[in-house]
Amino acid sequence: MPPLLNRLWRRVRATVAPVPDISATLWLQTVQRYPFLAALSLHDQAKLRVLSALFLHHKEFHGAHGLTVTDAMAIDIAAQACLPLLHWGDPAQALDWYDDFVGIVLHPGEAVARRQTMDEAGVVHEHTQVLLGEAMERGPIMLSWQHVSNATENTARGHNVVVHEFVHKLDMKNGQPNGCPPLPAGFMGARTGRAAYEAWWAAWEPAYEQFRERVIMAERFGAEGPWLDAYGATSQSEFFAVACEAYFVNRERFSQEFPGLMPVLDAFFQRPVG
């Protein structure tokens, strides 16, 4: 572990007590496995390490189908889950966003869930759905370790199942997910809460409609598909989660694809200017 990073870790850790420790070796291995974590400044890596340590102190991991969750796996997930909270001030208060659940269930690969839907005639249909992850309101988060660990390919494609599911938790903080999490006071210079939400939707609604149109053109008429995961076209809440995945793991490409969303997400996640 570089001496400077160790000093930064101790300095940040000293401001939050008590903070459980994360092995310097394991932390460095996590950072090196994920390009978007390695790209963070050393100071931000130290802050993220503190957040991740607190996160691990309050969450419980469960392996499904015989999967053994190692310390390294848990740290990998904690670091990515805490990335959206990085610039939200006091670590303990920032983690309040995730206070509605404790359990994280890790599957070796994709999970198959049974679903029921009702059609317009009131007939209930049963089907199965393949899942890479799932966030349940006031319930646990499920993740596919196979997808979590596929870091290099996922980063290039703007995919990150951990960020996706934990961003859903942000969206759920004020009820059913709708693509708009609770906004802080003064968001983007708004004087009232209503003005803040108007500013949010003024950016997101047209971006979502344009994205849906691109997905429809690709699926129905063979046009070039969008770079962003087409699953985002299924609802505003999924578009928000899919956009945030790309925003955090491949910021450069996301800024080219969705320049209008960059200032909104920068403001919400309180990214420092410069």
Side-chain angles (χ1 to χ4, degrees):
M1 175 67 68
L4 175 59
L5 187 54
N6 256 332
R7 289 198 300 272
L8 286 168
W9 154 250
R10 289 194 296 270
R11 187 183 309 161
V12 177
R13 189 170 184 259
T15 66
V16 184
V19 177
D21 196 14
I22 290 180
S23 156
T25 299
L26 286 177
W27 179 252
L28 187 58
Q29 290 172 353
T30 287
V31 169
Q32 292 176 337
R33 267 192 291 272
Y34 299 91
F36 51 92
L37 297 182
L40 296 173
S41 69
L42 292 182
H43 184 261
D44 281 352
Q45 288 180 20
K47 288 170 60 181
L48 187 62
R49 188 176 170 189
V50 169
L51 270 168
S52 301
L54 282 173
F55 177 92
L56 290 169
H57 186 61
H58 294 289
K59 304 304 179 190
E60 296 177 359
F61 286 82
H62 306 277
H65 306 295
L67 178 67
T68 298
V69 182
T70 66
D71 288 347
M73 292 162 69
I75 293 169
D76 280 9
I77 291 169
Q80 294 170 82
C82 291
L83 189 57
L85 312 181
L86 183 59
H87 301 297
W88 283 356
D90 177 75
Q93 292 182 6
L95 283 167
D96 284 347
W97 283 85
Y98 299 154
D99 65 0
D100 70 324
F101 75 102
V102 174
I104 299 167
V105 181
L106 206 56
H107 286 249
E110 298 170 340
V112 178
R114 293 185 177 276
R115 301 295 195 210
Q116 287 187 342
T117 56
M118 182 180 295
D119 62 24
E120 295 179 356
V123 178
V124 175
H125 302 271
E126 293 189 357
H127 64 280
T128 58
Q129 183 179 6
V130 176
L131 302 173
L132 300 178
E134 185 174 32
M136 285 154 273
E137 189 174 2
R138 307 203 64 81
I141 281 182
M142 183 278 289
L143 299 167
S144 159
W145 176 247
Q146 180 184 19
H147 199 72
V148 172
S149 61
N150 190 13
T152 301
E153 181 181 346
N154 286 341
T155 298
R157 298 165 60 196
H159 290 186
N160 188 284
V161 67
V162 181
V163 172
H164 183 108
E165 301 306 337
F166 278 84
V167 163
H168 274 318
K169 283 292 187 180
L170 305 183
D171 195 2
M172 293 173 181
K173 200 64 177 175
N174 56 358
Q176 288 289 324
N178 65 350
C180 182
L183 301 177
F187 176 74
M188 297 193 75
R191 295 180 178 272
T192 65
R194 179 176 179 178
Y197 286 99
E198 287 175 349
W200 178 273
W201 289 118
W204 283 91
E205 285 185 336
Y208 175 61
E209 291 304 326
Q210 291 167 15
F211 181 69
R212 284 187 70 245
E213 184 65 24
R214 288 190 62 185
V215 170
I216 290 170
M217 292 297 292
E219 292 179 348
R220 295 183 182 176
F221 306 108
E224 183 179 359
W227 169 71
L228 199 67
D229 187 353
Y231 186 60
T234 58
S235 69
Q236 286 274 17
S237 63
E238 293 299 343
F239 182 59
F240 171 58
V242 164
C244 288
E245 289 180 65
Y247 169 83
F248 279 108
V249 307
N250 197 331
R251 180 179 174 85
E252 181 178 358
R253 180 66 185 271
F254 182 76
S255 67
Q256 296 170 3
E257 298 282 339
F258 297 94
L261 294 181
M262 289 297 293
V264 183
L265 289 176
D266 283 347
F268 178 65
F269 292 111
Q270 300 180 37
R271 181 182 174 89
V273 177

